[in-house]
Each structure stands twice: as structure tokens, then as C-alpha cells.
Amino acid sequence: MHEPAIPHLTQSDPEIAELVQAEAKRQHDKIRLIASENYVSAAVLEATGSVLTNKYSEGYAGKRYYEGQQVIDQVETLAIERAKAVFGVEHANVQPYSGSPANLAVYMALASPGDTIMGMALPAGGHLTHGWSVSATGKWFNSVQYGVRKDTGRVDLDEVRELALAERPKLIFCGGTAIPRTIDFEGFAAIAREVEAVLVADIAHIAGLVAGGAHPSPVGHAEIISTTTHKTLRGPRGAMLMSDAAHAKALDKAVFPGLQGGPHNHTTAAIAVALHEAAQPSFRDYAAGIVANAKALAEALLERGFDLVSGGTDNHLILIDLTGKGVAGKPAAKALDRAGIELNYNTVPFDPRKPFDPSGVRLGTAAITTRGLTPSHMPKLAEWIDLAIQAGAAEDEQAIDRIAAEVRELLTAYPMPGYTLT
Ligand SMILES: *Cc1c(COP(=O)(O)O)cnc(C)c1O
């Protein structure tokens, strides 16, 4: 059953209530390895489902365009203060609706249409909003994209520097969605300084690792830090922009009134709750646990002959190139899903296949670490992944069902926040 309980929803809209219960059970019964997902705490769920959703509060604390902000101002101020303390930044804006609008606000604050901007190419592990062609950021700016080296699967800062010197971008984005290795913020900052660009660190994926001390912090290197709040940071769907004091005003003006209307106050409260959780000593253990699980899983996958982009991982994320296994990413992901192991098919660098049917799968350990799985479980997980992919290729649905049952059995011992077994 969903936790907190949903009696009113069950009464008034049984159709949706049933779907909510079904999704809670689905999340409970599966090994969730989608690298951008997690399980939030029941406290975060309660804040997200609160009456704060009823309130409009365009503007910022003390400077609102609607009356009745006695409470909301305090909520938003708390969220900001907690963000500043957890990440050690001078300024935080907690209003962006999600990661993509947060990045748009960065462009709005610091660039004009037609300006040259630079980011990591999507197929190499960057995000759409870092200037990829189909994104508004690729269409409205002169976007220059860097990638990874073919032989190492890693960013080559010499190549980034050369490109930056030739193109003189106004903004440089570092970070991405499929980067299994530590981001060298200091190295990027040196390049940005040399070409007089502003460095934006998009830590959407690794924010929880940064908060928990399991990945170096971009603070002191990147003038602007953009992050979602719902990936490794384990908060509600939302985002934050952080910066030094010099960029505070421009960012705030870009978020509101530049790009958005009223902030989602229930989300702001839930972000504050998640930041309070991230400030606890136990969150450092959580962040270290995510990385330990990823390293153990990478090791176990390598032992089973899987080809990992860059040869392994430093963070929560593993990118598998399935070419050598003779299977494409999409059928593998679908077979794994039927086997109770959820991940996503993903392009690998220099992928000869199409984005909708690429060569790889991407996985991450943030959610399973929240469930309480440890490195001791990772050899078994790698075995299930291997067998399920093989069973999928052989169309052996019985073997897939057997794995799904074993997965469900294991997970009954690892409670899910937001769900109680009945
Ligand atoms: C997830 C992600 C985003 C976008 O977040 P949404 O909330 O999905 O819009 C932006 N940048 C990076 C690096 C991400 O991983």
C-alpha cells in the first residue's frame, strides 16, 4: 500500500487511486536501476502532497506580487538557507520547475540568441539543454559540442581547450546524463578562465554525491551550478540554481520574471525537507554506499565479460556497450524489465546504431542503495542482468519469469520508502 495512505483519493477517484497503488507496488517489486531515479522519503512525499500547492507566490521572499506570504516566505527562505549550507554556496534559487528550465534560465541570464555556447554532445553523455541540435538551446544559440575520446571513453580537456580557444564560447557547460567518471571542475574552470567564458556545472545526476562528499564539489570552480533535486539528491521533482554572489541577481531575474511564473511551493517545501535529510551524517554514508555499489556492480559485470564505457565507474552510473554481446540496447532493456530489472537503453559514444535503437544500456545505483542493497548483492545482480539478457535473446520467457520472481523475493527484505507491504 502507498505510504502515506490515500483514502480520499481511493474514495473520490478509484481509477487513479488504483493506478497509484499499482505504481507503488511496481516500484517495490523491481530492482530500479534507472540512473536518474530514486525513492524519496515519506517525509518528502508528505511535503509534496501538502496544501502548499494551493498558494501563488510570484516573486521572492519579501518581494511578492500576491498577499498572504507569511508562511511561504519562511518555507522558501529555509530551502535557500539549507541549499547554501549543504553545498557551501553564496546564492541559491530554489524556484526552477525542473532541470531543463533551470538551464534555460542560465542562458536567459548570461547569453543572447545567436551567442556561442559550448557543452557536451548528447551522444557522448551530455544533456539536451547543453546545446544539442533538437533542443531550443541548440536552435537559438551557436552551439559548439565536445565529446569523449574514442580510446578512453572520457572527456579530453585538451580537445575541450582547443575547441574553446577556436570558438570563444560565452558559456561552457560541464556535466551530463551518462558520464560514469569524475568531472574535473578545476580543469574546466582553467579553460573557461582562459577564454573568458562563464563555467556552468550541471550536477543534476551527481548532486547527492557532491552533497554527501562522494564527488568533488564544483564550488570555487564553476560560477554557476545547476542541479535537479530528484536524482541522487533524493528530493522531489525540481531544480536549483546556485552561484557566487556576483551572478545572484541575474539568475533570480532570469527565473522570475524571465522564464517562469509562480513557484511550486509544495515542491519548494519538499526540496527543503530533502536538503535537511542531505545535511545528516547518514547521507554521507548513503552517498558513499551509492559509489561502493556502482563499483562492485561494475566489477561483477566486467567479470562476466561486459564492456563498460571508460572501463568502469567513479560515481553512481555505469554505461554498458552491448556490441560485444551481440545484443542491442533496446531488446536487452525490454528483457531486463520483464525480469524485474529496470534500466534504460542508451547511446554509447561513437554509437553506429540509431538513438532510438542504440548499442548500450545505462544504469545507476542511487535507488537500490536507498532500498538498502550493498556491494555483497552486486555479483548476484550482475548474474541476473547477464542471464536475463541472454534469455531475452533466446526468447526464453520462463527463465525471465524465474529471475523476476527471485528479484521480488530478494526485495521483500528491503523496505521501500513510500510503500508498506500488506
Ligand atoms: C536530468 C538532467 C537535466 C534535466 O532535468 P529535467 O528535470 O528532466 O528537466 C538537466 N541536466 C542534466 C545533466 C540532467 O541529467
Side-chain angles (χ1 to χ4, degrees), residues 45 114 150 201 351:
L45 287 177
K150 198 164 190 170
D351 203 324

Side-chain angles (χ1 to χ4, degrees), residues 98-101 103 127 129-130 175-177 202 204-205 228 230-231 237-238:
S98 213
S100 301
N103 284 346
H127 190 259
T129 56
H130 297 180
T177 63
D202 183 345
H205 261 265
T228 57
H230 48 269
K231 299 178 185 177
R237 302 304 282 246

Side-chain angles (χ1 to χ4, degrees), residues 19-20 35 50 53 59 142 158 183 185 273 334 349 355 420:
L19 292 174
V20 171
S50 68
T53 196
N142 173 37
D158 292 333
I183 298 163
F185 297 122
V273 173
K334 292 197 174 299
T420 44

